[in-house]
Amino acid sequence: MKARENQMRLPHTLKTPPFLQKFQWAADPIQYMEKAARQYPDIFTGEVVGFGDTVVFVNHPQGIQEIFTNEKKIAALGKLNGILQPLIGDNSLFMLDGDRHKQHRKILMPPFHGERMQTYGKLIPNLTGKVFSQLPIDQPFLALTAMQEISLQVTLQTVFGLYKGERCQQLKHLFPVFISNVFRSPLTSSLLLFPFLQQDLGAWSPWGKFLRQRQEVDKLLYAEIAERRQQPDPDRTDILSLLMSCRDEAGNLMTDRELRDELITLMLAGYETTATAMAWGLYWIHQKPQVRKKLLQELDTLGDSPDPMSIFRLPYLTAVCNETLRIHPVSMFTLPRVVQESVELLGHTLEPGTVTQGCIYLTHHREDLYPEPEQFKPERFLERQFSPYEFLPFGGGARGCIGQALAMFEMKLVLATMVSNYQLALVDKRPEKLQRRGFTLAPANGVKMIITGQRARQESRVTMATTSAL
Ligand code: HEM
């Protein structure tokens, strides 16, 4: 009875039957969200699958601010992310709460900021050069695949300090296959969305395949952990080394299982998201010739071999990346939050137990914030400053993305390297559609492109190594 009363008080409950909503949500979340927002632009309650059955979606900056800042009443509890458990285990940052969550964030944040970024500043253009030097001239390639390769290598380097050796090669091969098998389409993503499909019916069944591939990835991760334990190297600065040297309040080191869960979390959270953002960036830069032209003009002001930090600070490049993440936020929504004490949200009272998510996609497509929201216009980010509740590709508050600085750095350096050194063109003139890939929104056709030539040497600004000496 109480549940029903609470249900009745939920803001703007959609009238479509729940099973139909769930189906629409799994198959085409964009259409689902846009349809709901036409009726209720600021806040609505939907019946979905994933992080909760009944979810209050918030698309108004004021509501988002409340979610990010009123952490006492609206908590970002790890147990809400249970859907990810089969991938990342129980000890992942996504699953932790309270002091342990804070402690792990404190360990994991520094490697993605400050001084460490200088090291990546050389690595990223070099990896980009290496990946692109292997692509054939005048033959189509998928930008998404090329970006995944760069992003995976950056992740392996930052997380494990691994960029060569047999285990690195194995991980480079196995991890994308593993992730792709789960996320490559709405149908395969359903494995995580609908737990009743998680049946091991042998190696050929979808879930059986998932479990076996996970075991193979785990074997490699545990082997790396064991080797590091046997041969500790105090000079290593990668994240695995940092995690291995950390002790909790009781003085205990992290167990192998805990280390494995954090490693796979970072690979999962960092690899596909950044690659997708960069593929969208390449798409828009080449979809809009004037954007490429302006970008080149800006890059050329830096002269030869610019310092990576100068590239990072370029205003137009920053605006292009922001506009890419606005129009196609890789993540459709924030992680879920749950109401702990009755709270007012946009004039509605939410009762304890109510699950709510900031809807990044719909906030970024609000006409009142971003006029002509379907148009790609980097200038809007030069003309106006948006608050963290209006522009939120990395979420915010207690669960805000820890990889934000690295992802932006990587995106800017890769796009700058590409545009400076290559002439590229889109193969397909039709607009790319959005497709759900797990929890991300990816270009449905992977952004098919072609290298039509290299920019003349004297024009090339961002230097990169094209040899295998990385
Ligand atoms: C363009 C790339 C990326 C996007 C769009 C993105 C987006 C997000 C979003 C929306 C959240 C949820 C925030 C919230 O609920 O408030 C998140 C959380 C997270 N992200 Fe990212 N992310 C990206 C790259 C990365 C990278 C490179 C890493 C690390 C290697 C990373 C690691 C994480 C982790 C560990 C969390 C969970 C934080 C926690 O539970 O405390 N992400 N990300």
Side-chain angles (χ1 to χ4, degrees), residues 146-343:
M147 295 299 113
Q148 281 168 339
E149 199 172 331
I150 295 170
S151 174
L152 181 62
Q153 298 205 42
V154 173
T155 310
L156 285 173
Q157 170 69 28
T158 49
V159 175
F160 299 93
L162 273 186
Y163 53 93
K164 43 189 175 196
E166 200 183 325
R167 195 168 302 129
C168 176
Q169 291 308 323
Q170 286 173 326
L171 266 174
K172 248 162 50 185
H173 168 72
L174 201 59
F175 192 72
V177 179
F178 171 56
I179 293 302
S180 175
N181 277 342
V182 189
F183 290 149
R184 74 173 171 267
S185 72
L187 200 68
T188 52
S189 305
S190 300
L191 270 183
L192 286 181
L193 294 176
F194 299 100
F196 67 86
L197 295 175
Q198 296 171 4
Q199 307 286 342
D200 183 3
L201 303 173
W204 294 103
S205 66
W207 192 248
K209 203 164 155 187
F210 167 84
L211 293 177
R212 282 157 187 80
Q213 281 180 346
R214 185 180 69 183
Q215 206 175 10
E216 279 184 63
V217 171
D218 282 356
K219 222 164 95 185
L220 292 172
L221 297 181
Y222 283 125
E224 185 65 27
I225 295 168
E227 198 176 291
R228 300 279 184 102
R229 286 214 197 276
Q230 276 160 12
Q231 301 157 18
D233 177 353
D235 294 333
R236 288 190 85 135
T237 54
D238 54 79
I239 295 172
L240 175 56
S241 306
L242 288 176
L243 288 173
M244 290 183 81
S245 62
C246 278
R247 290 180 188 274
D248 63 15
E249 269 118 63
N252 298 318
L253 288 169
M254 282 171 83
T255 64
D256 287 1
R257 180 81 216 181
E258 285 174 319
L259 288 168
R260 175 266 174 208
D261 288 357
E262 286 302 27
L263 291 177
I264 205 145
T265 296
L266 295 173
M267 288 175 74
L268 180 79
Y271 148 68
E272 179 116 352
T273 45
T274 314
T276 307
M278 295 191 298
W280 279 124
L282 274 184
Y283 168 75
W284 282 112
I285 291 168
H286 294 88
Q287 174 71 245
K288 305 267 168 203
Q290 73 280 18
V291 171
R292 180 173 180 271
K293 199 170 148 204
K294 273 182 141 176
L295 203 51
L296 273 174
Q297 276 167 359
E298 186 181 63
L299 284 165
D300 286 350
T301 60
L302 292 181
D304 276 327
S305 311
D307 156 43
M309 279 301 162
S310 322
I311 301 174
F312 182 72
R313 286 190 215 103
L314 286 174
Y316 192 68
L317 176 62
T318 304
V320 168
C321 293
N322 283 348
E323 180 65 349
T324 302
L325 287 167
R326 179 202 66 83
I327 198 163
H328 289 145
V330 174
S331 180
M332 289 177 266
F333 32 70
T334 67
L335 292 164
R337 274 50 173 184
V338 64
V339 176
Q340 303 292 292
E341 292 171 35
S342 284
V343 66

Side-chain angles (χ1 to χ4, degrees), residues 94 101 105 112 269-270 273 331 334-335 337 393-396 399 401 403 407:
F94 282 104
H101 179 242
R105 274 182 78 91
F112 294 119
T273 45
S331 180
T334 67
L335 292 164
R337 274 50 173 184
F394 297 97
R399 293 240 169 227
C401 178

